[in-house]
Amino acid sequence: MTDKNAHQDQETIDFGYQQVKRQEKESLVANVFHSVAAKYDLMNDVMSMGIHRIWKRFTIDCSGVRPGQKVLDLAGGTGDLTAKFSRLVGERGEVVLADINNSMLKVGRDKLRDKGIVGNVSYVQANAEALPFPDDHFDCITIAFGLRNVTDKDAALRSMFRVLKPGGRLLVLEFSKPVAEPLSKVYDAYSFHVLPKMGQLIVNDPDSYRYLAESIRMHPDQETLKGMMEQAGFEQASYYNLTGGIVALHRGYKF
């Protein structure tokens, strides 16, 4: 690799299938989620035919969260996981719903308050790469469908490791790579032809959903992400393929 190419690799990063300046990606991703925030829950139900609820329930079941614990729901968006964790940790526990996007955070806060979920939930606008929390603070961190949008995923994983307590665990729920070629072809056709049309019809924004499809393809596969977690310091890293690998749940521990 030439010095010029090495410099270019450091200065640019993927935004879907485009290469953009590293410092521009955060604002470009922000624009996507400002656009889709108001109908994010509706689109999740339509896009996944409701299956995202099963994926999230599995994440909760694998979390091992108990009463009195502290949980960080990172890139928590509209608060699906936060709502469930709030009930699990109880009055003595704490759940922080954190998201870098203030539009998503506002939708999540309004939704949870409308459900009467108050008291043990707080809201923080935060960048996953530089979390504004003390060392060794949380018993569990989840990040669901958010890691692929982070500019520096390695920095984010290190930041999550720092704020976890010893004995704590990270769960990463994210779109991944289908394990069977026929499923992969069907999934590609759905992602690149159907999703943008849904985005056009429901939120009048096909480009954001085209980006979301592309960002899924650019995200590290199951084994690569497992290796990245281990590199960040997590031990006993493992993953579960869900719906044929369309989604994977990665889990790792801090000891």
Side-chain angles (χ1 to χ4, degrees), residues 175-188:
F175 292 107
S176 201
K177 308 300 181 189
V179 295
E181 186 63 27
L183 177 60
S184 184
K185 290 180 178 178
V186 171
Y187 184 45
D188 276 347

Side-chain angles (χ1 to χ4, degrees), residues 24-68:
E24 292 177 353
K25 179 170 179 175
E26 185 176 312
S27 64
L28 290 169
V29 172
N31 289 338
V32 169
F33 285 93
H34 286 314
S35 174
V36 305
K39 294 189 177 179
Y40 183 79
D41 286 338
L42 173 61
M43 280 297 293
N44 274 353
D45 280 331
V46 172
M47 287 189 305
S48 73
M49 294 171 281
I51 298 174
H52 75 98
R53 298 177 186 276
I54 298 173
W55 298 332
K56 290 171 181 173
R57 170 49 64 187
F58 183 73
T59 302
I60 296 289
D61 291 344
C62 290
S63 71
V65 166
R66 302 187 302 276

Side-chain angles (χ1 to χ4, degrees), residues 117-132:
I117 298 173
V118 294
N120 64 357
V121 175
S122 58
Y123 303 87
V124 176
Q125 187 170 356
N127 186 332
E129 297 171 30
L131 292 170

